[in-house]
Amino acid sequence: MVTIKDVAKATGVSPSTVSRVIADNPRISLDTKKKVRKAMKTLGYHPNINARNLAVKSTKSIGVIMPSSANKALQNPFFPEILRGIGSVIHDVQYSMSLSTGETEEEIFEEVQRMVYGSYVDGVILLYSRVNDRVTSFLRERDFPFVVVGKPYDDINEVTHVDNDNYKAGQEITKHLIELGHKKIAFIGGSKDLFVTMDREAGYEAVLNEAGLENCEDYKVHTEFLKSGGREAVERLLFLDTPPTGMVVSDDLMSLGVLSTLEELGYSVPKDISLVSFNNVYLSEITRPALTTVDVQIHTLGAQSAKALIEKTQNKSEPAKRIIIPHKIVYRDSVSRRGTL
Amino acid sequence: MVTIKDVAKATGVSPSTVSRVIADNPRISLDTKKKVRKAMKTLGYHPNINARNLAVKSTKSIGVIMPSSANKALQNPFFPEILRGIGSVIHDVQYSMSLSTGETEEEIFEEVQRMVYGSYVDGVILLYSRVNDRVTSFLRERDFPFVVVGKPYDDINEVTHVDNDNYKAGQEITKHLIELGHKKIAFIGGSKDLFVTMDREAGYEAVLNEAGLENCEDYKVHTEFLKSGGREAVERLLFLDTPPTGMVVSDDLMSLGVLSTLEELGYSVPKDISLVSFNNVYLSEITRPALTTVDVQIHTLGAQSAKALIEKTQNKSEPAKRIIIPHKIVYRDSVSRRGTL
DNA sequence: CTGTTAGCGCCTTCAG
DNA sequence: CTGAAGGCGCTAACAG
């Protein structure tokens, strides 16, 4: 390994000078800088990160914590996409990202501990948000920089997070259905203790009430990440006395399952039933029919969270922020107009 | 930050003793070990990774390089799943993983350089394999430990890789179609310079020839990652004089697109056309119809690659290996028997 | 069984 | 503008 000393020797200067050249210190003459840089190049010098980190007590690396992967949720294309978003800014500022790998909540917690105690990373991005989360408490106690993607459960004003306005999104997409003449609209969401679900659902309800439409519990189903297309959930809806004509599904991947079940049961989308959902991952444009869905700009979500985190690591007194990424509805083919009945 | 010295002072021993306790060195008396451990606990000591890395010249961290994300391919659920696989072993051995984030080939190359030159990682897992890849050459030149998931292009015997027997898988799945009476079978694959595609296709061809079935170029289409369901590709197939009755598609996500296009054009799967594919990601069980696909055990692919890499970093003279992960066909509903025509 | 000493490669005062 | 010296936190001989 070629070190700073080798470069120094080759150039006939001192190691500290070389160090200063690396930092592009203005008090070094252009001449020596050039000399040194040339030597670095020919010798193939590259700074040793660990040594630098040790010296400056920073790692220029951030940790990304995925939700526990007990279920299939991780196969949601949402994740690679958000990683890309994070990656894009990470790359620009020459940081690196360290991915959590735990399967269980316990494992994840251990890993976060290692990350912060071991000075692996300068900050952490949480790709989930859960009630009573040990990780969050831990991070807050230690006053360790972190941001969450989504809506934090506790002390929402004190943890910076980047999120969509899921309430509004829920309203808009539901309104879209109503404007097309739908009066019986159901909501299919994931686990009830996910804020995304709750917010989107709240928006849905608000619009229903406002429009004076039926807003009954029967029309709302929550299922764990959909196994076998969430068959039971969908069936329950369809076997009601007055089944819905429209469905608001809280995730594209879920929609795929719902779509399948629906058509298997002999319902045609959008002819018999209209369906809208959220996220706009790639697959929502290759389903049949292609999904009308709200684009939450996953990539931006990731990018902004990284940006916010880095700011925070660089300036600890940066105040907690809430960053709302705008969404927009992408109109495709999963909805149709209802004759006024 | 509490350091080894603090612990030493608190316990009344020397720093090196503490260090040895950390390493669980057998030559330290149980008594002092206990004392030291207790002090570590009460003081809240955690080793500083950077310092250790610097001292031992190892990072206990591996880099994971994703393909360039110019296209939508990254939204393939394949990736999160393989990351989970890698993560599972990484976690057990207390390593960490650093994810590449580059969008372009160029960016990726830069990042790999940083990773190896900067001693960020001990080794690297390549999640892709491309002809004439700078990254691969770079790694080989520098004799830096790496493994590739899939089949490497150059010097296949000198780079350890973990892969499926895609040729065989291609044969088996095609044979399945034949056994059900299909005689006109097409192949839809991704880019031709991906070995996965080529291998699967070769298997397909072999079986066709063996069975004395038509193996014409018209039946093979290659498309970049399917935009809008690979409409053109599928159409080309269907508008042939004798359109195929069976299709072998080289990826589940692609299959979804094909499925949509097919049904939009009025063909029913599996009634009119049978379709089989590869990977068995979660969505293949919630499509309509659910896909008969070969399960390539993505998770295992990831886990084994991590395992092989770690072995390699720990023992540089570990020989290059080829690790083949067994596959198996998962029978679902996208195929049907053909009357003998 | 344990302490002392010397680095790992880099950065950062403090002098000059 | 540049050099010398010390230290970041930990490990690894080398002594005892």
Side-chain angles (χ1 to χ4, degrees), chain B residues 196-226:
Chain B
V196 240
T197 307
M198 288 168 53
D199 285 351
R200 290 170 180 177
E201 182 170 355
Y204 149 89
E205 289 178 345
V207 166
L208 248 45
N209 290 332
E210 194 180 297
L213 294 177
E214 197 159 5
N215 167 14
C216 60
E217 285 312 309
D218 287 347
Y219 272 6
K220 297 165 209 158
V221 309
H222 299 87
T223 112
E224 283 308 311
F225 208 79
L226 297 184

Short mmCIF file of all heavy atoms in Angstrom, two decimals, chain B residues 196-226:
data_model
loop_
_atom_site.label_atom_id
_atom_site.label_comp_id
_atom_site.label_asym_id
_atom_site.label_seq_id
_atom_site.Cartn_x
_atom_site.Cartn_y
_atom_site.Cartn_z
N VAL B 196 -27.19 -15.13 -18.33
CA VAL B 196 -28.42 -15.79 -17.88
C VAL B 196 -29.31 -16.08 -19.05
O VAL B 196 -29.77 -17.20 -19.25
CB VAL B 196 -29.27 -14.93 -16.92
CG1 VAL B 196 -29.44 -15.61 -15.60
CG2 VAL B 196 -28.75 -13.53 -16.81
N THR B 197 -29.57 -15.03 -19.82
CA THR B 197 -30.41 -15.19 -20.99
C THR B 197 -29.86 -16.27 -21.91
O THR B 197 -30.56 -17.20 -22.30
CB THR B 197 -30.48 -13.86 -21.77
OG1 THR B 197 -30.87 -12.84 -20.88
CG2 THR B 197 -31.47 -13.96 -22.89
N MET B 198 -28.60 -16.13 -22.24
CA MET B 198 -28.01 -17.06 -23.19
C MET B 198 -28.09 -18.51 -22.72
O MET B 198 -28.43 -19.40 -23.49
CB MET B 198 -26.56 -16.67 -23.44
CG MET B 198 -26.42 -15.42 -24.27
SD MET B 198 -24.73 -14.81 -24.26
CE MET B 198 -23.83 -16.29 -24.76
N ASP B 199 -27.78 -18.71 -21.47
CA ASP B 199 -27.79 -20.08 -20.95
C ASP B 199 -29.19 -20.68 -20.97
O ASP B 199 -29.39 -21.82 -21.39
CB ASP B 199 -27.24 -20.11 -19.53
CG ASP B 199 -25.73 -19.97 -19.52
OD1 ASP B 199 -25.13 -20.02 -20.61
OD2 ASP B 199 -25.15 -19.83 -18.43
N ARG B 200 -30.12 -19.88 -20.51
CA ARG B 200 -31.48 -20.39 -20.48
C ARG B 200 -31.97 -20.68 -21.89
O ARG B 200 -32.63 -21.68 -22.15
CB ARG B 200 -32.40 -19.38 -19.78
CG ARG B 200 -32.10 -19.30 -18.29
CD ARG B 200 -32.78 -18.17 -17.57
NE ARG B 200 -32.42 -18.22 -16.14
CZ ARG B 200 -32.81 -17.32 -15.23
NH1 ARG B 200 -33.58 -16.30 -15.59
NH2 ARG B 200 -32.44 -17.45 -13.97
N GLU B 201 -31.59 -19.81 -22.78
CA GLU B 201 -31.99 -19.98 -24.17
C GLU B 201 -31.33 -21.21 -24.79
O GLU B 201 -31.96 -21.96 -25.53
CB GLU B 201 -31.61 -18.73 -24.97
CG GLU B 201 -32.03 -18.78 -26.41
CD GLU B 201 -31.85 -17.43 -27.09
OE1 GLU B 201 -31.49 -16.45 -26.39
OE2 GLU B 201 -32.06 -17.35 -28.31
N ALA B 202 -30.08 -21.40 -24.46
CA ALA B 202 -29.37 -22.56 -25.00
C ALA B 202 -30.05 -23.85 -24.55
O ALA B 202 -30.20 -24.80 -25.32
CB ALA B 202 -27.92 -22.54 -24.57
N GLY B 203 -30.45 -23.87 -23.29
CA GLY B 203 -31.14 -25.04 -22.77
C GLY B 203 -32.44 -25.27 -23.54
O GLY B 203 -32.76 -26.40 -23.94
N TYR B 204 -33.12 -24.18 -23.74
CA TYR B 204 -34.38 -24.23 -24.49
C TYR B 204 -34.15 -24.82 -25.89
O TYR B 204 -34.83 -25.74 -26.32
CB TYR B 204 -34.93 -22.82 -24.54
CG TYR B 204 -35.74 -22.41 -25.74
CD1 TYR B 204 -37.12 -22.61 -25.79
CD2 TYR B 204 -35.12 -21.78 -26.83
CE1 TYR B 204 -37.86 -22.20 -26.88
CE2 TYR B 204 -35.85 -21.37 -27.92
CZ TYR B 204 -37.22 -21.59 -27.95
OH TYR B 204 -37.94 -21.17 -29.03
N GLU B 205 -33.13 -24.31 -26.55
CA GLU B 205 -32.86 -24.78 -27.91
C GLU B 205 -32.50 -26.26 -27.93
O GLU B 205 -32.95 -27.02 -28.79
CB GLU B 205 -31.72 -23.97 -28.52
CG GLU B 205 -32.13 -22.55 -28.86
CD GLU B 205 -30.97 -21.74 -29.43
OE1 GLU B 205 -29.81 -22.19 -29.30
OE2 GLU B 205 -31.23 -20.67 -30.00
N ALA B 206 -31.66 -26.63 -26.98
CA ALA B 206 -31.21 -28.01 -26.95
C ALA B 206 -32.41 -28.96 -26.89
O ALA B 206 -32.48 -29.94 -27.63
CB ALA B 206 -30.30 -28.23 -25.74
N VAL B 207 -33.33 -28.65 -26.02
CA VAL B 207 -34.48 -29.52 -25.87
C VAL B 207 -35.34 -29.53 -27.12
O VAL B 207 -35.84 -30.57 -27.54
CB VAL B 207 -35.31 -29.07 -24.65
CG1 VAL B 207 -36.67 -29.74 -24.65
CG2 VAL B 207 -34.58 -29.41 -23.38
N LEU B 208 -35.48 -28.37 -27.70
CA LEU B 208 -36.26 -28.30 -28.92
C LEU B 208 -35.67 -29.21 -29.99
O LEU B 208 -36.38 -30.01 -30.62
CB LEU B 208 -36.26 -26.85 -29.43
CG LEU B 208 -37.59 -26.09 -29.37
CD1 LEU B 208 -38.26 -26.33 -28.04
CD2 LEU B 208 -37.36 -24.61 -29.59
N ASN B 209 -34.39 -29.09 -30.17
CA ASN B 209 -33.72 -29.90 -31.18
C ASN B 209 -33.86 -31.38 -30.87
O ASN B 209 -34.22 -32.18 -31.73
CB ASN B 209 -32.24 -29.53 -31.25
CG ASN B 209 -32.06 -28.15 -31.86
OD1 ASN B 209 -32.90 -27.71 -32.66
ND2 ASN B 209 -31.01 -27.47 -31.47
N GLU B 210 -33.59 -31.69 -29.65
CA GLU B 210 -33.68 -33.07 -29.22
C GLU B 210 -35.05 -33.66 -29.51
O GLU B 210 -35.18 -34.82 -29.89
CB GLU B 210 -33.41 -33.08 -27.71
CG GLU B 210 -33.12 -34.43 -27.11
CD GLU B 210 -32.88 -34.23 -25.63
OE1 GLU B 210 -31.91 -33.53 -25.26
OE2 GLU B 210 -33.69 -34.75 -24.83
N ALA B 211 -36.05 -32.84 -29.29
CA ALA B 211 -37.42 -33.32 -29.49
C ALA B 211 -37.83 -33.22 -30.95
O ALA B 211 -38.96 -33.55 -31.31
CB ALA B 211 -38.37 -32.52 -28.62
N GLY B 212 -36.91 -32.76 -31.75
CA GLY B 212 -37.22 -32.63 -33.16
C GLY B 212 -38.24 -31.54 -33.45
O GLY B 212 -38.99 -31.62 -34.43
N LEU B 213 -38.28 -30.55 -32.59
CA LEU B 213 -39.24 -29.47 -32.82
C LEU B 213 -38.58 -28.29 -33.53
O LEU B 213 -37.36 -28.16 -33.54
CB LEU B 213 -39.82 -29.00 -31.49
CG LEU B 213 -40.69 -30.03 -30.76
CD1 LEU B 213 -41.15 -29.48 -29.44
CD2 LEU B 213 -41.86 -30.43 -31.64
N GLU B 214 -39.42 -27.50 -34.06
CA GLU B 214 -38.96 -26.33 -34.78
C GLU B 214 -38.16 -25.41 -33.86
O GLU B 214 -38.59 -25.09 -32.76
CB GLU B 214 -40.18 -25.59 -35.32
CG GLU B 214 -39.84 -24.60 -36.41
CD GLU B 214 -41.10 -24.31 -37.21
OE1 GLU B 214 -42.17 -24.80 -36.82
OE2 GLU B 214 -41.01 -23.59 -38.22
N ASN B 215 -37.02 -25.01 -34.33
CA ASN B 215 -36.18 -24.13 -33.52
C ASN B 215 -35.74 -23.00 -34.42
O ASN B 215 -34.61 -22.95 -34.89
CB ASN B 215 -34.99 -24.93 -32.99
CG ASN B 215 -33.92 -24.03 -32.41
OD1 ASN B 215 -34.15 -22.85 -32.16
ND2 ASN B 215 -32.74 -24.58 -32.22
N CYS B 216 -36.64 -22.11 -34.71
CA CYS B 216 -36.31 -21.06 -35.67
C CYS B 216 -36.07 -19.73 -34.98
O CYS B 216 -36.52 -19.49 -33.86
CB CYS B 216 -37.42 -20.92 -36.69
SG CYS B 216 -38.97 -20.50 -35.91
N GLU B 217 -35.34 -18.89 -35.66
CA GLU B 217 -34.99 -17.60 -35.08
C GLU B 217 -36.22 -16.75 -34.78
O GLU B 217 -36.23 -15.97 -33.85
CB GLU B 217 -34.06 -16.83 -36.03
CG GLU B 217 -32.64 -17.37 -36.03
CD GLU B 217 -32.10 -17.60 -34.61
OE1 GLU B 217 -32.19 -16.67 -33.78
OE2 GLU B 217 -31.61 -18.71 -34.33
N ASP B 218 -37.24 -16.94 -35.58
CA ASP B 218 -38.44 -16.14 -35.38
C ASP B 218 -39.05 -16.33 -34.00
O ASP B 218 -39.78 -15.49 -33.51
CB ASP B 218 -39.50 -16.52 -36.43
CG ASP B 218 -39.13 -15.97 -37.79
OD1 ASP B 218 -38.21 -15.12 -37.84
OD2 ASP B 218 -39.75 -16.40 -38.78
N TYR B 219 -38.78 -17.46 -33.44
CA TYR B 219 -39.38 -17.78 -32.15
C TYR B 219 -38.59 -17.22 -30.97
O TYR B 219 -38.93 -17.44 -29.83
CB TYR B 219 -39.51 -19.29 -32.00
CG TYR B 219 -40.81 -19.82 -32.57
CD1 TYR B 219 -41.68 -18.99 -33.26
CD2 TYR B 219 -41.17 -21.16 -32.39
CE1 TYR B 219 -42.86 -19.48 -33.78
CE2 TYR B 219 -42.35 -21.66 -32.90
CZ TYR B 219 -43.20 -20.80 -33.61
OH TYR B 219 -44.38 -21.28 -34.11
N LYS B 220 -37.49 -16.55 -31.28
CA LYS B 220 -36.68 -16.04 -30.18
C LYS B 220 -36.62 -14.52 -30.24
O LYS B 220 -36.17 -13.95 -31.21
CB LYS B 220 -35.26 -16.59 -30.30
CG LYS B 220 -35.20 -18.09 -30.17
CD LYS B 220 -33.86 -18.60 -30.65
CE LYS B 220 -34.02 -20.01 -31.19
NZ LYS B 220 -32.93 -20.38 -32.12
N VAL B 221 -37.09 -13.91 -29.20
CA VAL B 221 -36.99 -12.46 -29.20
C VAL B 221 -36.21 -12.01 -27.98
O VAL B 221 -36.26 -12.64 -26.92
CB VAL B 221 -38.37 -11.78 -29.21
CG1 VAL B 221 -39.23 -12.36 -30.31
CG2 VAL B 221 -39.04 -11.95 -27.88
N HIS B 222 -35.46 -10.95 -28.18
CA HIS B 222 -34.70 -10.38 -27.08
C HIS B 222 -35.06 -8.92 -26.99
O HIS B 222 -35.06 -8.23 -27.99
CB HIS B 222 -33.21 -10.51 -27.33
CG HIS B 222 -32.80 -11.92 -27.44
ND1 HIS B 222 -32.84 -12.60 -28.62
CD2 HIS B 222 -32.38 -12.80 -26.50
CE1 HIS B 222 -32.45 -13.84 -28.42
NE2 HIS B 222 -32.17 -14.00 -27.14
N THR B 223 -35.39 -8.52 -25.83
CA THR B 223 -35.74 -7.12 -25.70
C THR B 223 -35.05 -6.59 -24.46
O THR B 223 -34.80 -7.32 -23.52
CB THR B 223 -37.26 -6.94 -25.60
OG1 THR B 223 -37.59 -6.50 -24.30
CG2 THR B 223 -37.97 -8.25 -25.88
N GLU B 224 -34.74 -5.34 -24.52
CA GLU B 224 -34.23 -4.69 -23.31
C GLU B 224 -35.27 -4.89 -22.25
O GLU B 224 -36.39 -5.28 -22.54
CB GLU B 224 -34.02 -3.19 -23.58
CG GLU B 224 -32.78 -2.90 -24.37
CD GLU B 224 -31.55 -3.55 -23.75
OE1 GLU B 224 -31.36 -3.41 -22.53
OE2 GLU B 224 -30.81 -4.21 -24.49
N PHE B 225 -34.95 -4.55 -21.07
CA PHE B 225 -35.93 -4.76 -20.02
C PHE B 225 -37.26 -4.19 -20.48
O PHE B 225 -37.35 -3.09 -20.97
CB PHE B 225 -35.50 -4.12 -18.71
CG PHE B 225 -36.11 -4.86 -17.57
CD1 PHE B 225 -35.53 -6.05 -17.15
CD2 PHE B 225 -37.27 -4.43 -16.98
CE1 PHE B 225 -36.10 -6.77 -16.13
CE2 PHE B 225 -37.83 -5.15 -15.96
CZ PHE B 225 -37.26 -6.32 -15.53
N LEU B 226 -38.26 -4.98 -20.35
CA LEU B 226 -39.52 -4.72 -21.02
C LEU B 226 -40.20 -3.43 -20.66
O LEU B 226 -40.72 -3.27 -19.57
CB LEU B 226 -40.45 -5.88 -20.78
CG LEU B 226 -39.96 -7.19 -21.37
CD1 LEU B 226 -40.99 -8.26 -21.18
CD2 LEU B 226 -39.63 -7.01 -22.83
#
